[in-house]
Amino acid sequence: MKKPKSNGVEYDNSAYDSNLDDLPVYEEANDEHRTVRPSVISAFGHDTLDRIPNIDFYRNAGSVSGQRAVRPSLQELHDVFQKNGAISVPDTVQDDGEKSIGVPSEDLESAKPSKSKGPIKFGWIRGVLVRCMLNIWGVMLFIRLSWVFGQAGWGLGMVVIGLSCVVTTITGLSMSAICTNGVVRGGGAYYLISRSLGPEFGGSIGLIFAFANAVAVSMYVVGFAETVVDLLKEHASLMVDELNDIRIIGCITVVLLLGISVAGMEWEAKAQIVLLIILLVAIVNVFVGTAIPATEDKKSKGFFNYNSKIFMENFPPAFRDGETFFSVFAIFFPAATGILAGANISGDLRDAQAAIPKGTLLAILITGVTYLGVALCVSATVVRDATGNTTDIVTSGLPCNESAVAACELGYNFSSCITGNCKFGLMNNFQVMTMVSGFGPLITAGTFSATLSSALASLVSAPKVFQALCKDNIYKILYFFAKGHGKNNEPIRGYILTFVISVAFILIGNLNTIAPIISNFFLASYALINFSCFHASYAKSPGWRPAYKYYNMWLSLLGALLCCAVMFVINWWAALLTYGIEILLYVYVTVKKPDVNWGSSTQAVTFVSSVSNALSLAAVEDHVKNFRPQILALTGSARSRPALLDLAHSFTKNYGLCLTCEVFEGPRSEALPAMNAAMEKNQQCLVKTKRKVFYAAVACDKFREGAESLLQASGLGRMKPNTLMIGFKRNWKTASTGEVQTYVGILHDAFDFEYGTVMLRMREGLDVSHILEAEDEMLKAAKEQQALGKEMMNGEKTKGLFRKSRKSSQQVLTTRVSVCSPPSPQDAKINERLVEASAQFKKKQPKGTIDVWWLFDDGGLTLLLPYILTTRKKWKDCKLRVFIAGQPGRSDLDEQEMKSLLHKFRINCSDINVIDDIHIKARSNSLKKLDDMIAPFRLNEGSKDFAQAEAMKIEYPWKITDEELSNFEEKTNLQVRLNELLQENSKSANLIIVSMPIARKESVSDFLYMAWLDALTKDLPPTLLIRGNHKSVLTFYS
């Protein structure tokens, strides 16, 4: 390899390694760490970690080769530069072990080409064009097409074919756009719909589409068997009777078709080619037959070669036997429902993106022209009614004024067909094509070919689609059928299941009844393909960039509506049944919430709608009638304080904004990685526990700075928090001064930013993080113990090279187990009570009361929050009791005023209590407890001289001074007195809500304020301290 040049001059680079010049593919090590990415000589002439754009970096993660190419992370490029030696980075990037996003782990795109003979892949002709043509050219071409044009005339008959082609062409265009918007794997219609609209739509349509293909096998096979039985009847060679002969021949045929399918796609493709040749010969035979001069026998049956009078006579419609345009269209349209035959084997195509659009659209064009050509040829050569009697000739001299004027002018009198039932002609004989053709048996062979090719295509399609559905594990019970066999990953289990379904319907099914249901299943798939294209275009997602440009979103929407209309035209009750089944499956998948993310257009539209609604909301001013609490809960991680989060979630439920917030404190280099690792983990935890809550986190040097950032910047437009929810700091007496100042400072910040503030205190505490950490450590230890056990079992096979690593593993495990030793019985009991209390608000609350001590008018938040709780199912058995402060001697009047106010607010409460002795002094033993509580934090400057006292104030500015205690003696007494009243009146309440006291900034010290909060809520049931922002959140105006 040549040395790199700079300005035409070769140079040596000590960091250069020629072995590293190619783009690396990094193997995943056993410990799930990626290997260190070395530096290479880049296209820029110097050693660098940066890589030039390459397709390997954009493949899905997780391939069959077990390798992945990974570009350097931003952290690796941004980290501190190492001057000595080659550029390298520490192995800091963890491999999360994720598989392909939303697809099975076998990523065929990223697999290395194998030297051995790989799976059989088809091009667009054999894989798509041939299959689609064979599926569209059904028995309709030879059996019912002449009847359709006899009933509708060739004028409306062309409309029937044209409308069918419009529906299928629009669907083909939509499918082409979806196919060319990324790599297409196996699964056909299911894959296209599920990756566009999501697993709910894809899972529902995939199941019924696979079932429709399985039943379609039996329909096509029965059509083949009926034709064979007709031949046996002509030669008096029936085996048992007509019905049982159909069953016997049908079952034998399915077994043979199954053998061809199981033998492999190559054999199936060869069989399709043979059937195509037979079918093409049969079609050519029809065209040749129309040019061969008609015999007298054929003329008596209505065939006169090309004649303009016959052609014009067959132009207008002549509906009979209650038929209409729509009923005739409903009979013809299923013939056009084979356009997905190529897409259904998308996993077996060499280049599905190119093959599906080209092959499908060309097949629609060829088959549409063929249907039209054959129909017009027959319409120009065969009259509508004929007797088949060679003696029915026109008597000379009689005028031709009956309905069969063209036949009359050609010398035949078929006027008897007006009153009697004739057996020949377009309207009466389904074997017109056999009569018209040059060699009749070829039409029979063509009928065989059409039925067998369609049956074979459906027999292959059903298991392929079903296997793709099962691989995605949307219906977990069906995962058994996901396994493939052989180099083509053939769904043998799916073949067997399809075989069983087909045989069952051949033996017991009334196919005439089920046929419209199957047609509607196919049409539902077409409708969703069209809607997928429209939906993806409407979402205007940057990821929607189809290479196929000849589509239009509104045309796709029209195609979807046309498909839905045709469903009702074919059979209204079958359409309703199809919609019902699809809705049930949609609801099932939605409820189960499969763990997949395919970047569907549904997500894109949801995002667009959310932005649009948020912008609309931002343009409207807030109104008190629409006020709802938007909670910002400082919970730490989503699992740390479950009681606090559960209560916050009860306030917002599905109707308000709730943020669970965490502050990662410390240097950015340490806090950022921890925060990034926690973001997705915590949000997934919230989804798993079905909490409608958002997780938000910030990394800051100081906790208060992080909380301040959350208070100021959280939310979007009008959707921003208005209420801070925080847990009571139980350890304030033992915590450092800085921690207490931070905690109280956050409350001051909330008041400054005009947040309503809610504080929860529970006797057992709120924080369970230490228990969760111990559980996680024990789980890791158990996993390491299991891994070590396996390692020890394989120890005899392992050479001495690995003994050292095994010894270090044992040492790590021993250390971890010692750290995770069980807690003492006393700690275990405390933890047990804590865990039980943390789940208190998850459960339905027993009958009891929510006691609301609405002491100060804060705008109504203290009353609104408990009212909201009573509207929740878990709290519906709890009654509201309201306690207010009253003046001595006017308790009755105060009670009536509050009752009137609550009545105007439309808030029901079971009892109103007026407390008129709040102002009296608290008991001496209660005050003594408060004095003992604050004793360690008092300055006691009164016993010192002035200079010493001033020096102590400067040294300990956070301590409680005697002057402060004196100034706030009444407020301090109020908190202690309130606790006594709470003990007397609300000791048995399910939840106590009390107006929160406010500490004036720079007047009340942090420790005195904490003492107030502690004294107020001590030894009580779960207690909420609430203080609104003193803006009305309640109104009695309409």
Side-chain angles (χ1 to χ4, degrees), residues 722-781:
N722 53 32
T723 305
L724 170 68
M725 195 161 178
I726 193 170
F728 177 72
K729 189 172 182 62
R730 294 176 73 228
N731 67 337
W732 69 273
K733 287 178 281 188
T734 58
S736 67
T737 304
E739 289 179 3
V740 175
Q741 289 175 333
T742 295
Y743 181 82
V744 177
I746 291 171
L747 297 177
H748 285 307
D749 292 338
F751 294 139
D752 285 342
F753 299 137
E754 296 190 338
Y755 270 69
T757 307
V758 180
M759 182 185 295
L760 173 64
R761 179 173 187 178
M762 296 180 68
R763 187 181 294 123
E764 299 82 2
L766 297 170
D767 191 0
V768 298
S769 56
H770 61 287
I771 299 175
L772 297 174
E773 287 173 7
E775 288 178 355
D776 291 342
E777 287 295 322
M778 292 297 290
L779 188 61
K780 287 179 183 177

Side-chain angles (χ1 to χ4, degrees), residues 131-444:
R131 291 172 187 280
C132 288
M133 288 195 303
L134 285 172
N135 234 23
I136 297 172
W137 281 332
V139 291
M140 176 67 64
L141 184 63
F142 301 112
I143 304 296
R144 300 298 291 273
L145 186 61
S146 57
W147 177 87
V148 168
F149 269 62
Q151 290 278 356
W154 62 266
L156 285 181
M158 291 176 66
V159 174
V160 168
I161 294 178
L163 186 56
S164 301
C165 288
V166 165
V167 174
T168 55
T169 301
I170 293 175
T171 306
L173 293 174
S174 300
M175 183 169 61
S176 300
I178 298 171
C179 285
T180 57
N181 193 52
V183 175
V184 178
R185 293 182 177 81
Y190 159 72
Y191 185 88
L192 299 179
I193 295 171
S194 63
R195 268 51 178 184
S196 295
L197 292 178
E200 295 83 7
F201 281 105
S204 57
I205 203 65
L207 198 59
I208 64 175
F209 185 71
F211 176 77
N213 273 286
V215 178
V217 175
S218 58
M219 291 175 55
Y220 294 129
V221 167
V222 166
F224 168 77
E226 285 176 346
T227 309
V228 175
V229 168
D230 287 342
L231 292 175
L232 293 177
K233 280 170 62 180
E234 288 181 13
H235 297 85
S237 303
L238 289 176
M239 293 178 283
V240 184
D241 56 53
E242 190 172 340
L243 179 60
N244 285 311
D245 279 14
I246 290 174
R247 289 171 174 168
I248 293 169
I249 295 170
C251 290
I252 294 171
T253 305
V254 172
V255 171
L256 293 175
L257 293 177
L258 178 67
I260 294 173
S261 302
V262 172
M265 290 296 294
E266 192 171 10
W267 283 95
E268 186 265 348
K270 290 176 180 177
Q272 293 279 26
I273 294 296
V274 173
L275 294 173
L276 176 65
I277 293 171
I278 296 172
L279 197 54
L280 288 173
V281 171
I283 293 170
V284 171
N285 184 39
V286 172
F287 287 110
V288 171
T290 57
I292 298 175
T295 62
E296 292 300 319
D297 180 61
K298 286 188 176 182
K299 287 181 180 179
S300 67
K301 294 178 180 179
F303 173 63
F304 294 97
N305 294 111
Y306 291 100
N307 188 286
S308 60
K309 293 180 179 179
I310 295 176
F311 191 57
M312 294 310 299
E313 185 178 82
N314 286 335
F315 172 74
F319 295 114
R320 300 179 191 173
D321 302 325
E323 300 292 349
T324 64
F325 171 80
F326 292 110
S327 65
V328 171
F329 176 78
I331 289 171
F332 173 81
F333 186 80
T337 58
I339 62 171
L340 293 180
N344 287 339
I345 63 160
S346 53
D348 296 293
L349 299 176
R350 193 177 300 120
D351 183 4
Q353 287 179 281
I356 292 176
K358 193 188 303 182
T360 303
L361 293 173
L362 188 57
I364 293 171
L365 175 64
I366 293 172
T367 53
V369 170
T370 304
Y371 271 116
L372 206 55
V374 170
L376 290 176
C377 285
V378 173
S379 297
T381 56
V382 183
V383 296
R384 279 192 168 103
D385 298 290
T387 60
N389 190 346
T390 54
T391 60
D392 286 341
I393 56 177
V394 176
T395 305
S396 59
L398 288 178
C400 295
N401 53 9
E402 299 293 339
S403 59
V405 175
C408 177
E409 292 180 357
L410 291 171
Y412 280 83
N413 181 13
F414 297 145
S415 58
S416 60
C417 293
I418 300 172
T419 56
N421 290 326
C422 293
K423 295 183 179 180
F424 298 96
L426 294 177
M427 303 286 280
N428 310 302
N429 184 14
F430 289 158
Q431 302 298 326
V432 166
M433 296 299 178
T434 304
M435 177 189 69
V436 169
S437 66
F439 184 58
L442 276 179
I443 301 301
T444 303

Side-chain angles (χ1 to χ4, degrees), residues 837-854:
S838 68
Q840 179 172 338
F841 300 128
K842 282 191 178 76
K843 301 176 290 188
K844 191 177 187 304
Q845 301 300 305
K847 285 187 177 181
T849 63
I850 299 176
D851 287 359
V852 182
W853 291 69
W854 194 16

